Amino acid sequence: MFDEQELVIGCQQGNREAQRQLYEIYADYLYSVCFRYAGDSSTAEDWMHDGMLKILTQIGKFKWRGERSLTAWVFSIQHNVIISNLRKDKDWKETLSIEEYITHNDEPEPETTQDIPQETLMQMIAELPTGYRTVFNMYVIDGLSHREIAQILGIQEKSSSKQLTLARRTLAARIRVWRKENL
């Protein structure tokens, strides 16, 4: 078993065992990140493998900056692969009308989601339209600002804000339905 620094050195030297360990350490994490954006397991798996291939081919460019720097670098590479794939999808900016998804203007309160299984919440997020899901993940989960999201995706800040609002409202409506059916 390699420590993080030894793992990087091993991968940079083409050591197959180090590469296998890197894959085993990060595959589940990267898959979950990809799934949040892709919304389906097949696409998430493809993106994760694309990201892992890029990580392994670019590991020579990695500079050690201390503990957890490898994790941050791996996430950054994977995130770039996700964004690149989203940009190729012509429909990712799709914004559906509010009426198609929303009947109320409120957003989910944290306490209303506490009794919903995490898998159910993740599925609700996965079912959002691509644009909503992308902005929701970048803002809520990855902690990016609307300015950063706009720059990364090549959209206006207002578009990012609107898609986040619509994503939250869509989730609120779905949470209300779930709670009514399950509690």
Side-chain angles (χ1 to χ4, degrees), residues 2-8 26 64 66-71:
F2 297 96
D3 73 15
E4 198 172 80
Q5 241 179 333
E6 291 172 336
L7 185 64
V8 170
Y26 289 104
W64 179 259
E67 189 176 331
R68 309 278 301 152
S69 62
L70 179 61
T71 300

Side-chain angles (χ1 to χ4, degrees), residues 8-121:
V8 170
I9 293 167
C11 288
Q12 288 173 336
Q13 293 173 346
N15 180 308
R16 292 283 190 201
E17 179 60 22
Q19 292 170 341
R20 185 189 63 75
Q21 281 191 20
L22 181 94
Y23 183 90
E24 288 179 0
I25 290 168
Y26 289 104
D28 288 342
Y29 167 67
L30 296 179
Y31 173 82
S32 68
V33 171
C34 292
F35 185 80
R36 285 192 289 117
Y37 284 92
D40 71 85
S41 59
S42 177
T43 303
E45 193 170 320
D46 288 346
W47 291 358
M48 186 273 296
H49 287 294
D50 290 348
M52 191 59 73
L53 183 60
K54 192 165 204 153
I55 289 162
L56 290 171
T57 58
Q58 293 187 3
I59 194 80
K61 297 178 183 178
F62 174 75
K63 302 283 188 249
W64 179 259
R65 290 183 170 83
E67 189 176 331
R68 309 278 301 152
S69 62
L70 179 61
T71 300
W73 183 79
V74 163
F75 174 80
S76 175
I77 296 287
Q78 184 65 66
H79 197 262
N80 289 338
V81 167
I82 291 167
I83 298 305
S84 175
N85 279 297
L86 286 170
R87 286 183 176 155
K88 291 177 190 173
D89 180 1
K90 294 176 183 162
D91 296 328
W92 83 267
K93 292 184 183 179
E94 154 190 311
T95 307
L96 302 174
S97 69
I98 296 174
E99 294 78 26
E100 289 185 66
Y101 282 100
I102 300 161
T103 57
H104 297 78
N105 287 334
D106 55 347
E107 296 182 9
E109 296 295 327
E111 60 273 4
T112 65
T113 62
Q114 290 175 353
D115 52 359
I116 300 176
Q118 183 176 1
E119 286 179 13
T120 302
L121 283 172

